[in-house]
């Protein structure tokens, strides 16, 4: 029977890397990381650590037999620092001991002699100094300068959006073991092949010498798309040298300090409108804070460019992105992948324009939403565009206009608790923006008793992808769903996998599974036709197929069609399709204290034919709440490059008590661009949470706060909200 994820989680029975039974002779590794944000590494003294109780060995860059390099887009990230350190928390040495505690204590004894250099933490400053990770990225459509100079209104301003810690339930970790010349690694990663490739490279092995197994993750949210590789490779390095199993699992505090987060962006915008409030042109420049190594920053910046105009029709646009090198831990993938920063900036510009022309924000939104046949700045033409109908559905269904009017009556506006409302539409592109990643394969076995095994590259991280894949296999084969087992992801069964990311896990791996299951079903249908009489069960058919020496296995590959650049026009089609929807978010602001509650969030979400409505609803709710956290309470603080909000008492994530009442309406309609009419669900609803930001601005204005024009700063923590109420500096 396929165990139900939900039951395992609720009963605490899900096993993460740290819960696996330990092999005989296992050792534990701990990282010695840089304590300075920028400097020249002069000397590493391992002796004091080696003298500590229980310590077996310690390793530095010198012990790496292959290529000391784990950067996937830009080769700028050594596994262990070699000459320079570029951020606080950069791994410099690895200490291995008999217990995890001994390793941790000993790692702190390593002496690092580092000649400090002047660090840079600010993206704009890095750009000024030319410290870019990749050349400037640009997307341009129409004549922006002409359109802006002939616009009735032009607003100009800036948006600061902060980073965000993933707070996955399971911290980063891996267990590596050398077994008859092969490295077997269990890793908490979204990218089994990425881990396999990294380990092979740093150890100088072939990929076929490295087997990566991914049991199931306790959450990831993008944090394990790239950054799991370092921890797996460090465990593998020690296991390789010591010929004993080595486990490396980060504590929560280590994880918060060492690992990358969502990218902070500093953004400048100019938005033009005509007399009737229609957008004429948009100019935007993103300064993305990439941290001390490239990681996935260029890909993330690309998605910002593609989502620069959010859910709106923009005739002319000039979109510029700087990926800036700073001395903070490398920022990385996080649900939305550069999309949320772009949506926040565009909606802020629109909010600014609404203030200037004196039109309600939702009216200005309505006037400019994308419609069928519109094209995006990259040239992609939208088909089956549901932006406008779902916006109207949500505003009508949730009585937006009347509720907002009531919140703004003089008596409501003068009470201590003031309400604010905002509508937040989404149009989110589905596919990896890097075309090559849009492929997957599936290996399906039917056993002679009619039970089924499915192996794909999809990693189950709590998002329910296994359940969806099981359902696809069951429906296609005519099997009972509880007779379908979706295996742990393993690189010997599934090769050359793309990360489970970009919301595409079920789309890609589900479609490959459908194709493989269909191939088996076609063979069985042949048998069934030859058989006259009562219909046969899958078990009977499988037994017959075996008796007739026919294969009950199939492997299939799927690649998303239609992606790429039109060589004639240069128009890009980066996405298979878009996901649409609108949220109505309501807040209650205590005008005396600056504290607030996000009281209600109501959504109409475009779902295609849901493969699993409970899972999809959960994804919409969870993503929305994560988005609310990003723009409200989640506040990363650094002191000279050192994260000071490094625990869950100093870094506040939305909790169940602070959760708004949630209402999610799934608007189902066949989507012919994904498996069984479904649509991807992981990332798009994160954008709904941004409505909390604009609902808070609405409440502040209703309460009479005079907000600085054209200066948007996220998150709107209660502290910042109080300052805005008091009319002091927006800090
Ligand atoms: N990862 C990636 C992603 O490599 N490319 C993408 O386009 C993407 N989008 C969202 C999340 N992860
Ligand atoms: Mo991602 S942000 O790993 O889909």
């Amino acid at each position: 029977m396929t165990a139900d994820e939900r039951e395992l989680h609720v009963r605490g029975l899900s096993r993460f890397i740290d819960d696996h039974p330990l092999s005989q002779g296992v050792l534990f590794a701990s990282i010695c990381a840089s304590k300075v944000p920028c400097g020249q590494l002069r000397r590493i003294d391992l002796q004091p650590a080696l003298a500590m109780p229980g310590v077996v060995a310690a390793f530095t860059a010198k012990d790496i037999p292959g290529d000391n390099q784990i950067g996937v887009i830009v080769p700028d990230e050594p596994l262990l620092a070699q000459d320079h350190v570029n951020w606080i928390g950069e791994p410099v040495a690895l200490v291995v001991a008999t217990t995890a505690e001994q390793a941790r204590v000993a790692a702190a004894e390593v002496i690092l002699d580092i000649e400090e250099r002047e660090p840079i933490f600010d993206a704009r400053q890095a750009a000024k100094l030319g410290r870019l990770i990749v050349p400037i990225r640009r997307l341009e459509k129409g004549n922006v300068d002409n359109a802006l100079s002939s616009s009735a209104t032009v607003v100009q301003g800036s948006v600061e959006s902060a980073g965000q810690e993933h707070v996955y339930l399971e911290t980063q970790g891996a267990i590596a073991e050398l077994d008859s010349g092969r490295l077997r690694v269990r890793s908490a990663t979204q990218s089994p092949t990425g881990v396999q490739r990294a380990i092979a490279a740093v150890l100088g092995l072939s990929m076929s010498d490295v087997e990566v197994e991914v049991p199931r993750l306790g959450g990831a949210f993008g944090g394990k798309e790239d950054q799991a590789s370092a921890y797996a490779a460090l465990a593998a390095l020690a296991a390789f040298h010591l010929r004993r199993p080595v486990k490396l699992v980060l504590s929560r505090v280590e994880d918060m300090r060492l690992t990358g987060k969502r990218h902070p962006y500093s953004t400048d915008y100019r938005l033009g409108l005509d007399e009737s409030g229609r957008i004429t042109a948009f100019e935007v420049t993103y300064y993305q804070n990439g941290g001390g190594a490239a990681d996935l920053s260029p890909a993330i910046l690309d998605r910002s460019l593609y989502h620069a105009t959010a859910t709106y029709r923009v005739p002319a646009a000039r979109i510029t992105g700087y990926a800036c090198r700073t001395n903070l831990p490398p920022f990385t993938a996080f649900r939305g992948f550069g999309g949320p920063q772009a949506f926040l900036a565009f909606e802020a510009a629109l909010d600014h324009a609404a203030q200037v022309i004196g039109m309600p924000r939702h009216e200005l939104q309505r006037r400019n939403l994308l419609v069928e046949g519109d094209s995006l700045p990259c040239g992609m033409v939208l088909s089956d565009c549901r932006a406008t109908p779902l916006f109207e559905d949500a505003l009508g269904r949730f009585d937006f206009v009347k509720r907002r009017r009531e919140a703004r009556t003089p008596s409501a506006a003068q009470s201590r608790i003031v309400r604010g409302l905002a509508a937040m539409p989404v149009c989110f592109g589905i596919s990896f923006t890097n075309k090559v990643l849009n492929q997957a394969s599936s290996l399906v076995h039917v056993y002679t008793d009619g039970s089924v095994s499915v192996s794909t590259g999809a990693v189950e991280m709590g998002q329910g992808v296994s359940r969806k894949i099981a359902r696809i296999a069951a429906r296609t084969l005519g099997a009972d769903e509880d007779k379908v087992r979706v295996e742990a992801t393993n690189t010997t069964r599934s090769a050359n996998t793309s990360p489970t990311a970009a919301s595409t896990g079920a789309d890609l791996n589900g479609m490959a599974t459908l194709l493989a299951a269909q191939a088996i079903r076609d063979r069985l249908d042949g048998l069934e036709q030859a058989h006259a009489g009562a219909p046969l069960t899958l078990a009977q058919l499988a037994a017959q197929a075996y008796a007739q020496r026919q294969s009950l296995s199939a492997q299939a590959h799927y690649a998303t069609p239609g992606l790429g650049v039109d060589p004639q026009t240069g128009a890009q089609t980066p996405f298979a399709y878009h996901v649409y929807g609108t949220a109505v978010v309501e807040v209650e602001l205590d005008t005396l204290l600056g504290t607030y509650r996000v009281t209600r969030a109501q959504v109409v979400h475009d779902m295609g034919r849901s493969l699993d409505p409970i899972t999809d609803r959960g994804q919409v709710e969870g993503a929305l709440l994560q988005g609310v956290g990003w723009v409200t309470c989640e506040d990363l603080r650094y002191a000279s490059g050192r994260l000071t909000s490094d625990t869950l008492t100093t870094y506040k994530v939305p909790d169940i008590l602070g959760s708004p009442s949630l209402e999610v309406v799934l608007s189902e309609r066949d989507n012919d661009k994904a498996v069984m009419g479904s649509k991807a669900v992981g990332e798009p609803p994160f954008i709904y949470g941004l409505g909390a930001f604009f609902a808070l601005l609405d409440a502040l204005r209703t309460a009479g706060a005079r907000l600085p024009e054209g200066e948007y700063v996220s998150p709107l923590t209660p502290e910042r909200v109080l300052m805005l109420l008091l009319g002091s500096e927006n800090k």
Side-chain angles (χ1 to χ4, degrees):
M1 209 187 79
T2 305
D4 188 316
E5 285 282 314
R6 290 183 277 259
E7 189 184 328
L8 293 178
H9 290 330
V10 167
R11 298 178 63 201
L13 297 175
S14 305
R15 277 211 316 216
F16 305 135
I17 294 289
D18 205 23
D19 304 317
H20 282 256
L22 295 172
S23 315
Q24 198 73 39
V26 68
L27 297 170
F28 297 84
S30 186
I31 293 167
C32 166
S34 173
K35 289 179 192 64
V36 305
C38 186
Q40 191 80 31
L41 186 55
R42 280 194 299 224
R43 206 171 60 89
I44 307 171
D45 186 359
L46 297 174
Q47 282 316 315
L50 289 168
M52 295 292 288
V55 172
V56 175
F59 302 104
T60 67
K62 289 199 195 81
D63 300 301
I64 292 175
D67 195 8
N68 181 19
Q69 185 49 246
I70 57 168
V72 291
I73 298 180
V74 179
D76 68 349
E77 186 176 355
L79 177 63
L80 288 169
Q82 202 137 11
D83 311 312
H84 293 90
V85 290
N86 296 304
W87 65 89
I88 292 177
E90 181 173 358
V92 181
L94 190 71
V95 176
V96 185
T98 319
T99 71
E101 189 52 30
Q102 287 170 333
R104 204 156 280 158
V105 170
E109 297 299 315
V110 174
I111 296 172
L112 303 180
D113 179 5
I114 298 171
E115 187 182 313
E116 290 197 44
R117 298 278 154 83
E118 190 65 36
I120 296 176
F121 304 119
D122 179 68
R124 289 177 191 267
Q125 195 193 347
K128 225 172 259 150
L129 295 171
R131 297 201 4 172
L132 299 186
I133 289 167
V134 287
I136 297 170
R137 304 253 166 151
R138 166 75 49 100
L139 204 56
E140 200 151 5
K141 170 190 177 181
N143 191 326
V144 172
D145 297 321
N146 281 357
L148 283 176
S149 63
S150 60
S151 294
T153 308
V154 176
V155 294
Q156 175 171 347
S158 68
V159 184
E160 298 291 326
S161 61
Q164 185 177 26
E165 160 62 38
H166 301 84
V167 200
Y168 25 62
L169 200 61
E170 176 190 22
T171 55
Q172 302 270 4
I175 303 171
E177 193 163 352
L178 196 62
D179 178 7
S180 328
R182 153 181 285 193
L183 262 165
R184 270 183 221 288
V185 182
R186 269 172 292 167
S187 162
T189 179
Q190 291 170 254
S191 183
T193 297
V195 168
Q196 182 189 26
R197 200 187 301 114
I199 292 174
V202 298
L203 298 184
L205 301 173
S206 303
M207 284 173 76
S208 60
D209 294 329
V210 182
E211 172 183 348
V212 178
E213 165 123 340
V214 182
R216 79 138 57 61
L217 312 189
F221 308 114
K224 298 165 184 170
E225 181 170 339
D226 188 69
Q227 298 214 342
S229 297
Y231 307 103
L234 287 170
L237 174 70
F240 178 82
H241 284 300
L242 300 172
R243 313 208 152 241
R244 284 172 68 179
V246 175
K247 175 168 162 175
L248 172 57
V249 174
L250 299 189
S251 69
R252 176 63 62 186
V253 170
E254 280 179 313
D255 193 294
M256 291 186 73
R257 287 182 186 163
L258 264 52
T259 69
K261 311 180 191 312
R262 184 186 298 287
H263 290 75
Y265 274 44
S266 297
T267 302
D268 296 327
Y269 65 82
R270 283 203 296 163
L271 181 69
L273 302 172
D274 68 15
E275 296 76 11
S276 61
R278 293 216 157 66
I279 294 167
T280 52
F282 182 56
E283 182 179 30
V284 68
T285 305
Y286 303 116
Y287 298 93
Q288 177 199 54
N289 193 331
D295 195 277
L296 298 171
S297 296
I300 289 160
L301 189 58
D302 281 346
R303 189 172 279 275
S304 303
L305 264 61
Y306 287 126
H307 287 303
T309 51
T311 316
Y312 302 97
R313 173 202 288 171
V314 178
R318 185 188 296 126
I319 305 155
T320 308
Y322 294 82
C324 307
R325 200 179 282 284
T326 65
N327 296 106
L328 292 171
F331 292 93
T332 193
F334 193 144
R335 204 173 198 166
F337 206 76
Q341 294 92 329
F343 273 85
L344 188 73
F346 194 91
E347 290 285 353
L350 206 62
D351 176 84
H352 185 183
Q355 292 301 309
V356 168
I357 65 173
M359 184 186 283
R361 180 172 164 272
H362 67 274
E363 267 308 324
L364 192 56
Q365 290 177 310
R366 167 178 280 154
R367 219 157 271 217
N368 289 287
L369 284 169
L370 288 161
V371 299
E372 185 72 17
D374 278 348
S375 63
L376 299 172
C378 67
M380 179 168 178
V381 179
L382 298 174
S383 65
D384 213 11
C385 176
R386 306 188 68 196
T388 300
L390 296 186
F391 185 87
E392 295 301 340
D393 184 347
L395 265 58
R397 187 190 290 265
F398 305 130
D399 214 7
F400 179 88
V401 174
K402 175 154 161 270
R403 280 165 57 199
R404 182 158 183 275
R405 193 185 321 120
E406 285 168 3
R408 289 159 54 85
T409 60
S411 70
Q414 280 153 25
S415 67
R416 173 169 163 182
I417 307 291
V418 168
R419 274 187 298 147
L421 283 97
M424 188 67 215
V426 67
C427 165
F428 197 90
I430 302 301
S431 288
F432 289 94
T433 58
N434 179 3
K435 180 177 164 181
V436 68
L437 296 176
N438 295 289
Q439 56 174 319
S441 67
S442 176
L443 174 64
V444 178
H445 302 308
V446 178
Y447 297 102
T448 51
D449 65 354
S451 61
V452 178
S453 157
V454 184
S455 297
T456 75
V459 169
E460 177 57 56
M461 57 190 101
Q463 86 281 42
V465 69
S466 296
R467 207 181 166 78
K468 290 183 176 180
I469 288 173
R471 186 155 293 173
I472 290 164
R475 279 195 206 161
T476 309
L477 287 164
D480 284 344
E481 206 175 302
D482 63 1
K483 291 269 164 50
V484 179
R485 177 174 287 279
V486 177
E487 309 289 353
T489 316
N490 184 300
T491 53
T492 65
R493 287 187 298 269
S494 304
N496 312 317
T497 60
S498 294
T500 302
S503 306
T504 63
D507 279 20
L508 297 174
N509 297 281
M511 190 63 101
T513 298
L514 184 138
L515 296 173
Q518 192 60 55
I520 299 174
R521 186 66 228 183
D522 288 347
R523 289 176 218 146
L524 298 179
D525 285 346
L527 283 177
E528 185 143 44
Q529 269 157 26
H531 168 87
L536 297 177
T537 63
L538 184 63
Q540 290 167 323
L541 279 169
Q544 279 206 9
Y546 178 74
Q548 295 182 21
R549 298 193 295 168
Q550 290 201 22
S551 169
L552 282 165
S553 300
Q555 200 260 8
H557 178 260
Y558 175 71
T560 312
L563 303 176
V565 185
D566 184 325
Q568 242 82 73
T569 63
Q572 302 180 52
T573 303
F575 303 120
Y577 61 91
H578 287 77
V579 172
Y580 300 92
T582 291
V584 168
V585 180
E586 182 182 286
V587 300
E588 284 181 5
L589 169 66
D590 183 326
T591 55
L592 189 61
L593 299 178
T595 53
Y596 53 81
R597 279 182 51 87
V598 182
T599 44
R600 282 174 97 175
Q602 298 154 297
V603 179
V604 179
H605 184 74
D606 164 36
M607 201 51 256
R609 292 284 163 218
S610 176
L611 287 166
D612 186 7
I614 294 177
T615 291
D616 286 338
R617 209 172 275 281
Q619 286 291 304
V620 174
E621 293 181 355
L624 187 152
L625 206 54
Q626 211 164 27
V628 168
W630 180 50
V631 295
T632 59
C633 56
E634 297 187 38
D635 196 11
L636 291 167
R637 295 292 180 99
Y638 298 87
S640 307
R642 186 175 64 85
L643 182 70
T644 53
S645 52
D646 59 359
T647 67
L648 294 178
T649 49
T650 50
Y651 184 77
K652 182 87 185 83
V653 290
D655 58 24
I656 197 72
L657 295 174
S659 170
S661 91
L662 291 160
E663 185 178 343
V664 177
V665 177
L666 298 183
S667 170
E668 294 208 38
R669 182 158 89 174
D670 273 327
N671 169 33
D672 64 9
K673 300 291 199 308
V675 60
M676 291 184 164
S678 65
K679 275 200 173 187
V681 71
E683 299 176 287
F686 183 93
I687 304 299
Y688 296 142
L690 279 53
F693 185 86
F694 297 97
L696 278 167
L697 295 183
D698 189 49
L700 279 162
R701 289 182 183 124
T702 297
R706 299 209 20 224
L707 308 180
E709 190 184 317
E711 288 175 31
Y712 294 84
V713 180
S714 172
L716 280 171
T717 57
E719 179 182 350
R720 197 168 272 136
V721 167
L722 183 62
M723 297 311 238
L724 290 170
L725 279 165
L726 297 174
S728 40
E729 273 298 277
N730 187 0
K731 252 280 157 226

